[in-house]
């Protein structure tokens, strides 16, 4: 079937570069800043990012410019294609708004979809959309698939602290207050996404205890369609979590993605993060 829909996303999706190129997904890079130095997401390796983060300037991120989306949309629309842009949650990023402003120039030719997720939560929706587009599905069919997947998706993240979220303005007052409590009691917070918003799911006395709570929650979901583990600077621990989840749920270990997240989640969550993405079977 002829492909009539092209997929655009932003660089927070954390998909492997080879997969993005194979599926011809257009990517708008977010921006990371260290003091007066500005980099497009992808210009720094993960190692380079953490080296700079250890320096005198804290990293900050910003959404792609409206013009970046306009350029991507215009190139694809000029080929006679419909464009579907899937972005990081609009509840914690201005990326969705930038894409929507750019889309106004193109009328019905461009549709913007809020993933209400981040990292591989966004990436998995983008992957689903791109594969459906290559199979010749219509825009309506693809949006229906995404809405169904988005509703079933669960993302839970264990942090060493809430300091980076608080400092970056990605947490509301409630979480800021909980941050004081977690630091005072030396407990580890567990965050999840609810309708695209970061919310406190719970806390534990240790990082391993928090991970057990997450794994218990995943096991209670029943049969799974997708599962992934994302992390910052915790490759060995993430691999161990993947092994344990596969054993507990019966989900094939070879289908559990393990990915170190890119600069967007790393900036706002900090080092030492482990997150689990699970999509129950529909």
């Amino acid at each position: 079937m002829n492909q009539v829909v092209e997929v655009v996303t932003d660089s927070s999706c954390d998909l492997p570069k080879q997969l993005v190129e194979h599926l011809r997904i257009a990517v708008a890079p977010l921006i990371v800043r260290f003091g007066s130095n500005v980099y497009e997401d992808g210009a720094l390796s993960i190692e380079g990012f953490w080296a700079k983060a250890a320096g005198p300037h804290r990293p900050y991120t910003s959404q792609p410019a409206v013009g970046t989306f306009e350029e991507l949309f215009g190139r694809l629309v000029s080929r006679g294609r419909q464009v579907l842009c899937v972005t990081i949650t609009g509840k914690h990023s201005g990326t969705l708004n930038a894409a929507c402003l750019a889309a106004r120039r193109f009328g019905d030719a461009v549709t913007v979809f809020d993933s209400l997720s981040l990292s591989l939560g966004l990436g998995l929706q983008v992957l689903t959309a791109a594969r459906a587009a290559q199979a010749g599905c219509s825009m309506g069919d693809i949006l229906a698939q995404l809405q169904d997947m988005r509703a079933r998706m669960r993302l839970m993240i264990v942090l060493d602290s809430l300091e980076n979220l608080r400092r970056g303005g990605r947490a509301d007052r409630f979480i800021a207050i909980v941050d004081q409590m977690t630091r005072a009691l030396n407990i580890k917070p567990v965050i999840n996404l609810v309708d695209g918003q970061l919310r406190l799911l719970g806390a534990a006395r240790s990082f391993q205890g928090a991970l057990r709570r997450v794994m218990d929650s995943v096991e209670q979901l029943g049969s799974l369609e997708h599962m992934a583990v994302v992390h910052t600077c915790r490759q060995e621990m993430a691999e161990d979590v993947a092994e344990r989840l596969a054993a507990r749920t019966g989900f094939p270990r070879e289908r559990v993605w393990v990915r170190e997240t890119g600069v967007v989640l790393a900036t706002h969550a900090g080092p030492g993060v482990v997150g689990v993405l699970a999509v129950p079977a529909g």
Side-chain angles (χ1 to χ4, degrees):
M1 298 178 67
N2 291 329
Q3 182 171 344
V4 296
V5 177
E6 296 280 359
V7 176
V8 176
T9 189
D10 63 74
S11 60
S12 71
C13 65
D14 286 341
L15 289 173
K17 182 179 179 181
Q18 305 93 309
L19 194 55
V20 168
E21 292 174 349
H22 175 70
L23 292 171
R24 301 192 303 276
I25 300 166
V27 179
L30 276 81
I31 304 299
V32 60
R33 304 171 187 272
F34 291 92
S36 60
N37 295 318
V38 179
Y39 303 89
E40 285 192 347
D41 189 3
L44 290 174
S45 66
I46 291 295
E47 295 77 13
F49 169 82
W50 288 115
K52 286 188 174 295
H57 299 292
R58 294 170 177 167
Y60 291 92
T61 61
S62 57
Q63 67 267 19
V66 173
T68 300
F69 281 113
E70 287 180 339
E71 182 180 352
L72 288 175
F73 296 163
R75 174 162 50 85
L76 297 173
V77 170
S78 68
R79 299 176 187 170
R81 302 296 180 90
Q82 291 182 285
V83 176
L84 172 60
C85 180
V86 187
T87 74
I88 186 174
T89 172
K91 304 293 180 63
H92 291 285
S93 173
T95 302
L96 175 74
N97 186 55
C100 288
L101 288 173
R104 291 178 181 176
R105 282 190 54 191
F106 304 97
D108 293 340
V110 177
T111 300
V112 181
F113 183 83
D114 188 345
S115 73
L116 296 179
S117 195
L118 45 81
S119 185
L120 285 181
L122 164 61
L124 189 56
Q125 293 181 53
V126 172
L127 184 62
T128 297
R131 285 175 170 165
Q134 284 203 345
C137 292
S138 68
M139 180 69 78
D141 287 340
I142 297 172
L143 288 172
Q145 290 182 46
L146 292 185
Q147 288 163 355
D148 173 64
M149 173 175 282
R150 184 177 66 181
R152 291 183 286 126
M153 187 170 283
R154 303 290 182 270
L155 178 61
M156 293 164 278
I157 303 170
V158 180
L159 307 172
D160 261 342
S161 77
L162 289 169
E163 176 65 21
N164 285 65
L165 284 176
R166 180 186 62 78
R167 194 171 60 213
R170 292 302 195 257
D172 57 21
R173 293 180 188 176
F174 170 72
I175 293 184
I177 294 171
V178 173
D179 183 30
Q180 298 175 13
M181 178 189 72
T182 57
R183 282 183 290 172
L185 300 177
N186 193 30
I187 57 180
K188 305 303 179 185
V190 181
I191 302 297
N192 68 342
L193 276 172
V194 180
D195 294 328
Q197 299 249 27
L198 293 170
R199 290 288 180 260
L200 184 73
L201 179 63
R205 292 289 181 183
S206 67
F207 202 94
Q208 286 294 335
L211 285 176
R212 284 193 294 272
R213 176 165 185 161
V214 169
M215 288 188 280
D216 287 345
S217 296
V218 172
E219 188 174 10
Q220 292 168 11
L221 294 174
S223 179
L224 298 174
E225 186 176 308
H226 300 283
M227 185 156 57
V229 182
V230 296
H231 70 95
T232 59
C233 306
R234 288 206 162 170
Q235 182 71 33
E236 186 174 340
M237 182 178 287
E239 295 282 357
D240 179 65
V241 169
E243 295 284 349
R244 291 159 67 186
L245 280 169
R248 291 182 61 167
T249 64
F251 193 83
R253 172 62 185 89
E254 63 272 15
R255 290 181 54 204
V256 183
W257 283 19
V258 177
R259 292 278 293 167
E260 181 161 11
T261 187
V263 303
V264 177
L265 184 57
T267 294
H268 297 293
V273 172
V274 176
V276 176
L277 171 73
V279 182

